[in-house]
């Protein structure tokens, strides 16, 4: 609760609408239209990968990161994404932790 920032890592349920501009080499948009299972699977996976890069970048800047699941995603989506276009993947607290309290992993 004391983190200076909590980032919502989310995915766009209509990401495929940008494919003609982002990937003009082929009509990839048509693969997704009407295929909600493929949209959800692809968007969730790609948002996870992009969020991992986000965490790596934050850590490279010296920030501590606390990714979290286990929250009420439906309530969060209703509050922050009421139009339903975006859906939360996970949350990530960002800040500078108290070095005395941060867990340290020792690899042998």
């Amino acid at each position: 609760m004391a983190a200076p920032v909590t980032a919502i890592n989310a995915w766009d349920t209509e990401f495929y609408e940008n494919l003609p501009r982002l990937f003009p080499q082929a009509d990839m948009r048509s693969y997704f239209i009407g295929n909600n299972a493929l949209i959800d699977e692809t968007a969730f996976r790609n948002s996870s990968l992009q969020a991992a890069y986000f965490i790596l970048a934050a850590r490279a800047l010296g920030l501590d990161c606390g990714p979290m699941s286990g929250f009420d995603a439906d309530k969060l989506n209703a509050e922050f994404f009421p139009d339903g276009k975006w859906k939360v993947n996970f949350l990530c607290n960002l800040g500078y932790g108290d070095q005395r309290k941060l867990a340290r992993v020792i690899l042998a």
Side-chain angles (χ1 to χ4, degrees), residues 70-81 86-89:
F71 53 89
D72 190 328
D74 291 335
K75 284 185 182 177
L76 189 140
N77 287 332
E79 181 69 25
F80 290 95
F81 311 121
W86 289 81
K87 294 184 181 179
V88 65
N89 184 333

Side-chain angles (χ1 to χ4, degrees), residues 3 12 39 47 90:
D12 181 359
I39 290 167
S47 75
F90 66 91

Side-chain angles (χ1 to χ4, degrees), residues 53-73:
Y53 285 120
F54 170 80
I55 291 171
L56 287 172
R59 288 183 174 161
L61 294 171
L63 291 164
D64 293 310
C65 301
M68 299 186 304
S69 60
F71 53 89
D72 190 328

Side-chain angles (χ1 to χ4, degrees), residues 81-96:
F81 311 121
D83 66 358
K85 185 175 183 284
W86 289 81
K87 294 184 181 179
V88 65
N89 184 333
F90 66 91
L91 303 176
C92 188
N93 292 323
L94 300 166
Y96 298 101

